[in-house]
Amino acid sequence: MVASFRKNVFWTVLLAAGAFVFSFASQIVISYFYGTSAELDAYWAALAIVNLLIFPIHPFRESLVPEIHRRSLEDSQKNASDYFSKALTLILMIAVVGLGLSFLLPNFLAGLVVSSTSEHLQSLVSQQLLWLAPAIILLALSETFNSLLASYHAVILQSVSRLLAAGSTLVIIAMMAGVVGIHALALGFMGGQLITVIALYMVIRKHGLRYRFAWPTNLGKAFFTLGGALLINYSASQIYSIYEKFIFSGFSKGLISAFQYGVSLTNVLITVLGLSLASVFWPRFLGYAASQDLDKANRDMTIALKMILLGMGVICAIIYCNAETIIDILFFRGAFDSESAIRTSQALRATIFTAIPIAASSILGRALISFGAAKNVMMIGILTAISGLLILYFSQQFNLYEMAILHWLFANVISFAVSGFLFLQLLNRPIKYYLLSCWWVLRFIAMLLIAISINQLLISAFFDGNHGIVIVFISSLLMVICGGVIAYLFGFLRGLPSFAGFAR
C-alpha cells in the first residue's frame, strides 16, 4: 500500500530525527566535560577495539535477516524460533570469545590501535577497554535483535530502538560525568544498549521468536555463504578503522577526538536519512528478490538514490558552509577550547559529505544482499578498506593530517561508484546506464559546487565574516533556494513525483 509505505518513511525519519536530537545533545555534553583530550581519544580508541572484537557477529546477523524473513512466510513459528536460537547461540559464542580477549589482552589490543610513540595513550586505552568490555555481549544482542525487525517489516520499531538507545545514553552520561569522569561514557553506552536489548527482545517475542540454547548446527549453506562473504567485508572494514586510529594518534593529541566529533555529526545525518531509508527499502528489496522483479527494484533504487543525493546534498552543503559557526554554537564551552574548535571544524568539513556516498551505498548494499549478491558486497568492502588504508598510509608518509582526515570521504566515494556499477550489472543493464548515472552524479557535484560558491560569496560580501545563528539561518535559506533552483534547471526533480505512486 502506498499509504503504508509513506507512513513508514514518515515515522522512520521522524523517530530518527528524535534520535538525532539526543545524539547531538550527547556530543554537546561530551565536548563540555572532555573537549578533545587524551582521555577522550582513549575512549574512542577503546570503542574501536570493542568493534574489532564484535565485528564477526555482524555478518551473521545480516545473514539471519533473509533466513528469518523466509521462514516467517513459509514455516511455523516453532521452526523459525529453532533457527533463531541456533543462530543467536553462534553469535553469543563469538561475543564471549571477544569478551575474554578484552580481559586477557588489553595491553596488546591497545597497541594495535595506538602508535608506539604514545605510551601514555596506550595505558589509557587499556583502562577504558576494561570498562567497555561488557558492551561486547550487549552489542551482539542489540544489533541482532534490531536487524531481525526488518524480517517482519517492523522498520518503525527499528527507529524507536535507536531513539531509546540515544536517549538513555544521554541521560546516563549527563548524570555520571561529574561523578566517575571519562568512565561515564562507557556506562552511558552500555546502559543505552542494555535498555535497547530488553525492549527489542520483548518486540521479537511478540512476533513469535523464542530463544533457548541450541547448538548452532544445520544453519544452511545460504547462511554461511552470505555470512562468510560479509565476514571478509567486515574484516577489511575493521582493519581500516584500527589503522585510522593508529595513524591519527601519531599526528597529535586530540586529533582522534576532533575527527570523531566530525564523524559523529556526520553519522547523525546518515542515521536520520540514509539508514532510515535503507531500513524502509530493505523489506521491499527482499520482496522483489523473492519475485525476481528487477524492474521494480530498479525503479525503487532510482527514486531512493535521488532522494538521498538531493536531500542530503543540500543539508551537507549547509553544514560545510557554516562548519565553524556550528562547532562554536554546539561545543565551544567547558573543556572545549579554541584549538579544539578549529580542529573539529576542519574535521567536520572533511567528513560531512561522506554522509552521501555512505547512505547511498547502504541502500545499494541492502539490495545486493537481498538478491544474494554476497560476493559483490564483499568486493565493495575490501575495495573501500584498501582505498582508505592507502590514503592514510600516504598521509603519514607525507606528514599531511589534512590528507588523513579526507580518507573517509574518498574511500566511500569509490565504494558508492562500485556499488552502483554492480547493482546495474545485477539488473543486466547495459554499460550506457552506468555512464548516464555517472553523468547525473557529475552534474549533481557541479550543482553543489555552484551553490556553495554562490553562498559563500554572498555571505562574505554582505555580512563581512560575521558568525552566529542568524547568519547560519540566512546561509541555510540561501543554500536551499540556490540548490532548488539549480536542481530544477539541471532537471534533477524530474521523475520524483512518481514517488506518489509507489508500490501497489
Side-chain angles (χ1 to χ4, degrees):
M1 294 291 290
V2 176
S4 176
F5 181 81
R6 286 177 172 173
K7 177 184 175 183
N8 283 347
V9 172
F10 173 78
W11 281 107
T12 300
V13 173
L14 183 64
L15 290 167
F20 154 86
V21 172
F22 287 132
S23 297
F24 236 31
S26 294
Q27 292 302 310
I28 292 172
V29 171
I30 290 171
S31 68
Y32 178 83
F33 284 103
Y34 314 114
T36 53
S37 61
E39 288 77 13
L40 187 57
D41 282 356
Y43 171 77
W44 293 124
L47 191 58
I49 296 173
V50 168
N51 287 326
L52 173 67
L53 296 172
I54 198 67
F55 88 88
I57 71 102
H58 294 305
F60 296 118
R61 71 173 173 86
E62 297 275 356
S63 300
L64 188 57
V65 172
E67 293 295 328
I68 294 296
H69 178 264
R70 181 172 62 82
R71 283 169 173 75
S72 69
L73 298 177
E74 301 172 1
D75 295 347
S76 66
Q77 287 186 347
K78 182 181 182 304
N79 289 337
S81 290
D82 289 344
Y83 191 90
F84 161 71
S85 296
K86 293 177 181 179
L88 186 59
T89 298
L90 174 62
I91 288 170
L92 287 173
M93 286 178 173
I94 295 170
V96 168
V97 171
L99 178 65
L101 289 174
S102 66
F103 281 123
L104 292 173
L105 304 170
N107 295 326
F108 170 77
L109 293 169
L112 295 177
V113 183
V114 177
S115 171
S116 57
T117 59
S118 306
E119 293 183 8
H120 176 61
L121 184 58
Q122 283 190 9
S123 175
L124 292 175
V125 172
S126 300
Q127 296 171 26
Q128 277 292 330
L129 179 58
L130 295 176
W131 278 78
L132 272 170
I136 294 173
I137 303 296
L138 296 172
L139 270 173
L141 293 171
S142 66
E143 292 291 327
T144 302
F145 295 165
N146 192 280
S147 293
L148 280 174
L149 295 182
S151 301
Y152 298 99
H153 293 222
V155 294
I156 294 177
L157 290 176
Q158 284 183 317
S159 294
V160 171
S161 71
R162 293 190 189 100
L163 179 66
L164 190 62
S168 52
T169 297
L170 169 63
V171 171
I172 294 170
I173 292 174
M175 290 176 60
M176 300 299 294
V179 180
V180 295
I182 193 68
H183 300 308
L185 298 182
L187 295 176
F189 182 74
M190 290 188 291
Q193 294 300 316
L194 176 61
I195 293 171
T196 303
V197 166
I198 295 170
L200 287 177
Y201 188 64
M202 292 172 63
V203 172
I204 64 172
R205 279 182 63 86
K206 288 186 178 180
H207 285 283
L209 290 183
R210 300 289 188 274
Y211 174 76
R212 70 176 190 280
F213 180 82
W215 197 253
T217 57
N218 301 320
L219 289 170
K221 181 180 178 181
F223 178 86
F224 286 107
T225 299
L226 177 57
L230 290 176
L231 183 61
I232 297 173
N233 189 349
Y234 278 101
S235 298
S237 176
Q238 287 304 311
I239 293 170
Y240 178 18
S241 176
I242 292 297
Y243 188 62
E244 172 203 283
K245 304 297 187 298
F246 184 86
I247 293 296
F248 282 2
S249 68
F251 276 115
S252 64
K253 183 190 78 172
L255 184 57
I256 294 176
S257 299
F259 187 78
Q260 192 60 47
Y261 283 122
V263 169
S264 297
L265 294 176
T266 302
N267 279 337
V268 166
L269 187 55
I270 293 169
T271 301
V272 170
L273 293 178
L275 297 186
S276 296
L277 286 175
S279 297
V280 171
F281 276 92
W282 196 2
R284 297 170 69 85
F285 287 124
L286 288 170
Y288 297 147
S291 62
Q292 285 298 298
D293 196 334
L294 300 182
D295 289 334
K296 285 187 177 179
N298 182 54
R299 180 203 63 189
D300 278 20
M301 183 61 71
T302 300
I303 293 174
L305 292 181
K306 282 187 175 181
M307 291 168 62
I308 284 176
L309 266 67
L310 293 174
M312 295 183 74
V314 172
I315 296 172
C316 289
I318 290 171
I319 295 172
Y320 178 88
C321 290
N322 298 282
E324 292 180 3
T325 307
I326 290 171
I327 294 301
D328 285 350
I329 292 172
L330 291 176
F331 301 135
F332 193 44
R333 60 184 63 84
F336 198 92
D337 56 19
S338 57
E339 183 181 349
S340 299
I342 293 170
R343 188 168 291 173
T344 304
S345 61
Q346 289 176 334
L348 180 58
R349 281 202 171 99
T351 59
I352 190 61
F353 282 106
T354 315
I356 300 173
I358 287 180
S361 296
S362 67
I363 291 184
L364 288 163
R366 294 291 193 274
L368 290 170
I369 289 172
S370 299
F371 281 90
K375 290 182 179 178
N376 288 345
V377 177
M378 177 186 68
M379 186 190 309
I380 294 164
I382 293 172
L383 183 62
T384 304
I386 291 174
S387 302
L389 288 169
L390 286 173
I391 295 168
L392 286 168
Y393 173 77
F394 285 113
S395 70
Q396 182 189 44
Q397 295 303 304
F398 295 111
N399 197 30
L400 292 172
Y401 88 90
E402 296 89 350
M403 181 180 179
I405 60 178
L406 285 169
H407 75 89
W408 200 39
L409 173 61
F410 290 149
N412 281 286
V413 167
I414 293 171
S415 172
F416 173 41
V418 175
S419 299
F421 175 78
L422 293 176
F423 179 73
L424 289 174
Q425 191 178 58
L426 177 73
L427 300 181
N428 297 317
R429 295 299 193 267
I431 192 66
K432 72 173 185 180
Y433 281 88
Y434 184 71
L435 295 176
L436 288 172
S437 298
C438 289
W439 174 237
W440 195 98
V441 172
L442 286 173
R443 291 188 301 128
F444 165 73
I445 293 172
M447 180 198 85
L448 291 181
L449 291 174
I450 294 169
I452 290 171
S453 299
I454 292 173
N455 185 282
Q456 292 188 319
L457 181 64
L458 293 177
I459 292 297
S460 61
F462 289 99
F463 296 98
D464 194 27
N466 291 329
H467 300 285
I469 191 67
V470 175
I471 306 302
V472 172
F473 175 78
I474 294 172
S475 175
S476 302
L477 184 61
L478 182 60
M479 183 62 70
V480 170
I481 295 171
C482 287
V485 170
I486 298 170
Y488 176 78
L489 293 175
F490 280 20
F492 290 155
L493 304 183
R494 252 183 251 123
L496 287 181
S498 63
F499 177 71
F502 245 175
R504 321 285 186 254

